[in-house]
Amino acid sequence: MPAAVHILVEPEQVDIEYKFVVALKAKLDQGVAANAASHLSLGLVAKAAAERPELLPHMSFLNFPDADGGAHAPVSGLSLVVLEGRPAWLRRLRHESSSAGLLCTDFTAQMTGGSYTDQLERMSRTAEAELDFYGVAVFGPCTEVDPLTKKFSLLR
């Protein structure tokens, strides 16, 4: 059994050299955008845990204690930047992030509506070139992530 990875860090251990980015398709309905961003964020951390556990400490999860001694954890001390852009940019971001070895995940229109079995069936019938990307999430060093996301705008 692999050694346990400690995902909570101390405030002085926050790794500001890394960042989270969620890039969404421009002009998505607010509810769809929130759903996609949530799935992307969950997927990114799950993928790190399953495939790249050495990245978990770089995600800088902290406990935010309140004045009464209550714990509010885990919450990352890093910013999670939410961007928007054209569908072709999302496809390119997914490809370039993956090619660069960055941790990334995506969320498509085919992953919505009905049950997860319906969604799996839709995905299995859709060629990659036909997927309607709602978003892509990326985690990695700022020096590698920033050049890939410079065309995107902040989500407003």
Side-chain angles (χ1 to χ4, degrees):
M1 184 166 167
V5 175
H6 298 284
I7 67 165
L8 286 179
V9 299
E10 295 300 321
E12 62 275 5
Q13 296 171 307
V14 171
D15 194 344
I16 61 171
E17 301 297 319
Y18 281 76
K19 73 185 310 180
F20 291 95
V21 171
V22 171
L24 299 171
K25 182 178 177 181
K27 299 182 178 142
L28 280 179
D29 173 78
Q30 279 186 327
V32 173
N35 181 265
S38 299
H39 278 286
L40 287 163
S41 299
L42 289 168
L44 200 61
V45 175
K47 191 172 186 178
E51 298 176 13
R52 306 274 306 276
E54 73 278 6
L55 290 177
L56 290 170
H58 296 287
M59 291 181 171
S60 300
F61 291 105
L62 299 167
N63 177 28
F64 283 77
D66 62 34
D68 298 319
H72 303 273
V75 175
S76 180
L78 300 177
S79 296
L80 188 151
V81 180
V82 182
L83 306 172
E84 67 178 349
R86 297 178 182 174
W89 297 355
L90 294 170
R91 188 177 299 280
R92 187 172 339 142
L93 176 60
R94 178 181 178 266
H95 173 74
E96 291 176 350
S97 296
S98 181
S99 295
L102 294 170
L103 188 67
C104 69
T105 190
D106 60 80
F107 190 77
T108 70
Q110 291 76 13
M111 297 174 184
T112 63
S115 69
Y116 74 90
T117 56
D118 298 331
Q119 296 162 11
L120 287 167
E121 173 62 27
R122 262 193 310 280
M123 283 295 288
S124 72
R125 291 181 286 129
T126 308
E128 195 279 337
E130 301 301 316
L131 292 174
D132 181 6
F133 287 94
Y134 278 179
V136 175
V138 181
F139 177 78
C142 300
T143 56
E144 295 178 39
V145 174
D146 289 345
L148 301 180
T149 59
K150 64 184 174 189
K151 282 189 172 187
F152 291 85
S153 304
L154 283 173
L155 179 66
R156 302 251 178 239

